[in-house]
Amino acid sequence: DGVLPEAVGRQIEPLMTKDLDAARDLAAALGVPTPLADVVRTQARRTLQLDAEPAPVPAPAKDDVHAYGLHMMDRVYGPGLSTAVQDADDPFSAETVDYLFAQVWGREGLSVRDRRLLTLGVAATVGKPELVQIITHGALVNGELSADQLREAVLHLAVYTGWCKATATHTGVTAAIHAHTAQPPTPQEQK
């Protein structure tokens, strides 16, 4: 029936996106527009039929602050992150779940994507690539920002945070993009 088995699609996706990214980079270097490659790259998961996720589990009620915080944590950074802290009984972990995720990230008024961009800006001012990588990973997993948009964000932030801190931001963004596409960063990109 033409349906691609999910396991095969998951094996093909990193190779497909790596090759499309390489073709797009070469075309950009040569000044050649690649609208078809751009569309195919943004629709790779859909093309490989990997977007057919199971029906989402409804969010817990907001008055169950801890359960809602765990839900928001997974919504912000991808499924499974909450398992690392769901049974933690220290005050910092509890406040991270109950306050930061349930009451701040879970508020109306700004989307998760908007809050992520603000958080990325703050992380860029700190200059910690590992923090930037975590934030960027969430944007990629959730499909909120493309690799090209994240690269553009690094350039924009460089003007406001300084080139040295932007270098750390670039390192974190590049690492997240490569991890998301299963492609190791080149030594030049790690600089």
Side-chain angles (χ1 to χ4, degrees):
D1 65 18
V3 175
L4 187 66
E6 184 174 339
V8 174
R10 292 198 186 282
Q11 289 177 350
I12 292 171
E13 180 187 19
L15 300 170
M16 178 181 176
T17 56
K18 175 186 67 79
D19 291 346
L20 284 166
D21 287 343
R24 291 168 66 206
D25 289 347
L26 176 61
L30 297 172
V32 176
T34 58
L36 185 57
D38 295 344
V39 170
V40 171
R41 175 59 178 93
T42 61
Q43 298 296 320
R45 291 187 57 77
R46 185 172 173 203
T47 300
L48 296 170
Q49 300 174 352
L50 295 175
D51 280 341
E53 299 293 326
V57 176
K62 284 188 174 187
D63 60 348
D64 184 351
V65 174
H66 193 73
Y68 188 71
L70 292 170
H71 164 78
M72 284 304 299
M73 183 179 274
D74 284 343
R75 185 168 163 221
V76 170
Y77 289 112
L81 183 68
S82 66
T83 58
V85 296
Q86 70 186 18
D87 295 327
D89 59 2
D90 65 278
F92 181 79
S93 295
E95 288 301 312
T96 297
V97 172
D98 298 352
Y99 179 70
L100 177 61
F101 285 98
Q103 296 180 30
V104 176
W105 280 89
R107 289 179 56 83
E108 301 293 325
L110 290 175
S111 68
V112 169
R113 180 185 186 273
D114 293 343
R115 291 179 192 280
R116 183 175 321 285
L117 285 169
L118 291 168
T119 306
L120 180 61
V122 171
T125 65
V126 176
K128 298 286 185 187
E130 61 280 0
L131 179 58
V132 170
Q133 184 175 353
I134 292 167
I135 294 163
T136 302
H137 172 76
L140 292 165
V141 167
N142 290 333
E144 297 161 349
L145 296 165
S146 69
D148 288 341
Q149 289 171 319
L150 288 161
R151 289 181 186 111
E152 188 66 27
V154 171
L155 182 58
H156 183 83
L157 288 166
V159 175
Y160 290 94
T161 65
W163 223 259
C164 291
K165 288 182 180 177
T167 300
T169 304
H170 177 261
T171 300
V173 166
T174 300
I177 290 168
H178 287 294
H180 185 70
T181 60
Q183 178 182 9
T186 66
Q188 183 181 15
E189 289 174 323
Q190 291 178 333
K191 290 182 181 177

